[in-house]
Amino acid sequence: MTGRTELLHAERELLLTLLELPTAGPLETGTDGPRPLLWEAQATYAEAAARLGFTVVHRAAPDPSVLDREGVPVTVREAAERMPGFLDCQPSTVLRLGPELPRERTVMFNVHLDTVAGGEPPRYRDGRFHGRGAIDAKGPAVALLAGLRSAVDAVPGLGRDTGVLVQLVSGEEGGAMGVFGTRPLVESGWTGRLNLFCEPTRAAWCPGPPPPRPP
């Protein structure tokens, strides 16, 4: 598979819908801020992915125990103590294409749907998307879905001989750094031989060590 994948009309509409959903987490909006619609955003994305054959294999808010461990920023611990429902409104979802396969025959993609606070009204104008999350990282999330659409059409056996996982996480912005979104999913074994994290890097490839195997 080579070349550029153009977004379909439905994918452009999906991105605009995601941009319209307020998903800035409590670390960004504070105690009195609006509840982030992350459950709704992840469900909307999962519905679009279902058209490619993806199914939901995990959807839950993180267990409070994930904050009682080394490496959790103090700001996150303090926010959880003073904000009722801090974790309940910041779920994670895992989608899978095809049957469950060994890690060696699986590729995983991770993308977060929470954003920083503020921004401008969502719109698509002159070939560009505007709105909070258009670059980081709702735009990459929809671009991933478009790329997977092309891959399914072009790569025989994808989703049959090679499994595909997509992690949709919260808790990446505001200083949470994935400690209650990405980390619990990785430690639960929702990973592959190749694991790609979708972040705006100006198309730079940033390789890193493989994730630890689950116990």
Side-chain angles (χ1 to χ4, degrees):
M1 183 178 62
T2 60
R4 180 177 178 178
T5 298
E6 298 289 343
L7 293 184
L8 300 178
H9 175 75
E11 291 161 346
R12 292 197 297 270
E13 292 300 308
L14 170 63
L15 179 49
L16 288 173
T17 297
L18 292 175
L19 292 174
E20 289 169 358
L21 291 171
T23 57
L27 289 175
E28 285 287 327
T29 61
T31 305
D32 299 325
R35 182 181 71 89
L37 301 184
L38 284 158
W39 286 98
E40 293 82 349
Q42 292 177 15
T44 297
Y45 190 97
E47 182 179 351
R51 301 187 188 103
L52 300 180
F54 281 88
T55 59
V56 176
V57 294
H58 172 82
R59 177 181 289 160
D63 188 275
S65 63
V66 302
L67 300 185
D68 187 24
R69 56 178 300 178
E70 183 180 356
V72 176
V74 172
T75 53
V76 175
R77 297 179 192 270
E78 293 177 345
E81 291 174 357
R82 70 175 184 270
M83 295 182 187
F86 175 79
L87 292 178
D88 293 340
C89 67
Q90 300 185 84
S92 291
T93 297
V94 180
L95 311 176
R96 182 167 63 212
L97 180 64
E100 183 176 1
L101 294 172
R103 179 174 178 268
E104 291 73 17
R105 292 168 56 193
T106 301
V107 58
M108 184 275 283
F109 299 91
N110 170 290
V111 66
H112 66 89
L113 295 183
D114 61 312
T115 68
V116 297
E120 55 185 310
R123 64 192 186 280
Y124 179 70
R125 179 180 297 171
D126 299 327
R128 297 184 66 177
F129 289 92
H130 302 261
R132 184 61 74 200
I135 294 176
D136 188 14
K138 293 175 180 179
V142 174
L144 167 63
L145 201 61
L148 289 171
R149 167 177 54 81
S150 294
V152 168
D153 291 339
V155 181
L158 190 64
R160 184 190 68 225
D161 303 323
T162 301
V164 180
L165 293 173
V166 176
Q167 296 182 0
L168 305 173
V169 301
S170 307
E172 294 294 320
E173 301 289 8
M177 300 187 296
V179 294
F180 58 80
T182 296
R183 182 161 72 173
L185 296 184
V186 169
E187 293 180 342
S188 295
W190 299 109
T191 60
R193 181 179 180 182
L194 176 64
N195 302 280
L196 301 176
F197 293 78
C198 303
E199 290 285 349
T201 61
R202 297 184 182 273
W205 172 251
C206 305
R213 290 181 177 273

